Amino acid sequence: RRLNDLIKRAKAARIHSLIVSYLKSQLPMIGKDAKKKDLIKHLDVVFETVQNQYGVPAADFPDLDVMKEKLRKQDFTKFPNYDKALIAKVDKMLAEDIPRIMSLLPGEEQEKNRMGLGTIKGGVFEKVAMPYGKGIDAGIGENIWIVTRDKSKYDDIFNNLEQQNGKITGRIARDELVKSKLSNNVLGKIWRLADHDQDGLLDNEEFALAMHLIKVKCEGSQLPEELPAHLIPPTQRFFKFMKIKLERCSPFSLVTEEELIRSK
């Protein structure tokens, strides 16, 4: 099952890398916002171009509508450029390393794995992060980002703030965050933790994270010095996964929360 999971994640990382690098390559020097809207509107054409250019199976592409919605919130200029060497590593892992590992499995186990019937040893409690914790630890081990629970409420606030390319400045954020009546020192720490990509701006996920951290503090919990891995905004986890897993390109382990922390 871990091999199947790794294969799925590697394919997803590969196709997302190809898509975002292509989108960035299409931006003109002037009129980037208009071009971004046009690329999102015709994302089906983008998918077809990427498919033909790189020979990607149609089944590997993400859902079109979901991808459109996510792209509307992103700054295309910050997408990574096409990295031929990185993609080659992923292709090698999928074409050579994974099959080599599969060949080491007993024949019966290979058949079970192919059919999705492989044995899971140790039950659900073996080396699995179970949901637990309160305050800043709430959400550890859960499949969904804990901030998602209140994100629609935070999005309503964010969408009514003055934005620049889908992000808010420190001045705009400050006017909203001071309503919590927390001290400037605490709010400064919250800003540092929430501005995870350290660009001096907050997108909708980072703003929601800031509001979550305010909630945690107001409920009496202490704030950490570094942002815990389970609180990293979902759209930023992909690039960390690419940096850690694909550059190392090891088929033997999946990215852990500790690795995400060390990659900062």
Side-chain angles (χ1 to χ4, degrees), residues 12-30:
R14 181 180 187 273
I15 186 58
H16 278 81
S17 177
L18 293 174
I19 291 172
V20 299
S21 62
Y22 176 82
L23 291 172
K24 182 180 181 180
S25 71
Q26 299 303 300
L27 293 179
M29 293 296 295
I30 301 176

Side-chain angles (χ1 to χ4, degrees), residues 129 132 140 227-230 232 240 244 248 254-264:
Y132 71 91
I140 293 179
L227 188 67
H230 70 283
I232 294 175
K240 282 186 172 292
I244 300 169
R248 187 175 62 195
L254 300 178
V255 175
T256 65
E257 291 185 354
E258 289 75 14
E259 288 177 306
L260 290 176
I261 294 173
R262 288 198 299 269
S263 71
K264 289 184 177 180

Side-chain angles (χ1 to χ4, degrees), residues 30-233:
I30 301 176
K32 290 182 174 63
D33 288 342
K35 184 60 177 179
K36 172 184 175 180
K37 293 178 181 178
D38 182 67
L39 287 168
I40 293 175
K41 181 179 179 181
H42 299 98
L43 192 60
D44 55 331
V45 178
V46 172
F47 279 15
E48 184 177 354
T49 301
V50 172
Q51 181 180 2
N52 293 333
Q53 185 171 343
Y54 299 103
V56 182
D60 288 356
F61 283 82
D63 181 88
L64 184 66
D65 292 332
V66 172
M67 192 67 174
K68 283 184 177 181
E69 185 61 29
K70 290 183 177 180
L71 287 173
R72 290 189 181 98
K73 304 171 184 177
Q74 302 304 312
D75 182 355
F76 284 17
T77 63
K78 293 188 176 181
F79 285 160
N81 295 320
Y82 174 66
D83 190 333
K84 185 177 180 179
L86 188 62
I87 296 300
K89 288 182 180 180
V90 182
D91 290 342
K92 180 179 181 297
M93 182 182 73
L94 292 172
E96 300 178 16
D97 297 339
I98 295 296
R100 185 168 61 250
I101 294 172
M102 292 294 293
S103 68
L104 299 177
L105 296 175
E108 182 179 353
E109 192 64 26
Q110 286 190 48
E111 181 63 18
K112 287 183 179 180
N113 194 59
R114 185 183 66 80
M115 298 177 66
L117 301 175
T119 303
I120 304 174
K121 299 180 180 180
V124 297
F125 296 99
E126 182 179 34
K127 297 181 181 179
V128 175
M130 297 299 293
Y132 71 91
K134 295 181 179 180
I136 200 67
D137 292 330
I140 293 179
E142 294 189 11
N143 291 327
I144 64 170
W145 191 37
I146 186 68
V147 181
T148 303
R149 295 181 179 178
D150 297 312
K151 191 169 183 297
S152 60
K153 178 174 62 177
Y154 301 147
D155 283 346
D156 288 341
I157 300 174
F158 182 84
N159 291 334
N160 286 312
L161 299 176
E162 179 184 340
Q163 301 177 22
Q164 297 179 4
N165 297 320
K167 296 189 176 186
I168 59 174
T169 64
R171 177 182 62 81
I172 297 299
R174 181 185 182 281
D175 292 343
E176 185 62 36
L177 300 185
V178 295
K179 295 178 182 179
S180 66
K181 300 192 183 303
L182 294 173
S183 70
N184 287 338
N185 286 339
V186 172
L187 290 178
K189 187 173 187 178
I190 288 174
W191 170 271
R192 179 176 62 81
L193 292 171
D195 183 20
H196 187 257
D197 59 6
Q198 299 180 345
D199 65 349
L201 303 167
L202 298 184
D203 61 19
N204 69 314
E205 285 186 340
E206 291 173 325
F207 176 77
L209 174 59
M211 298 298 286
H212 175 76
L213 294 173
I214 286 176
K215 177 183 176 182
V216 168
K217 181 62 178 177
C218 289
E219 290 176 348
S221 297
Q222 295 299 312
L223 297 175
E225 292 303 315
E226 299 291 339
L227 188 67
H230 70 283
L231 290 181
I232 294 175

Side-chain angles (χ1 to χ4, degrees), residues 228-244:
H230 70 283
L231 290 181
I232 294 175
T235 57
Q236 297 185 30
R237 295 180 188 180
F238 165 72
F239 296 106
K240 282 186 172 292
F241 171 74
M242 289 287 290
K243 178 181 178 181
I244 300 169

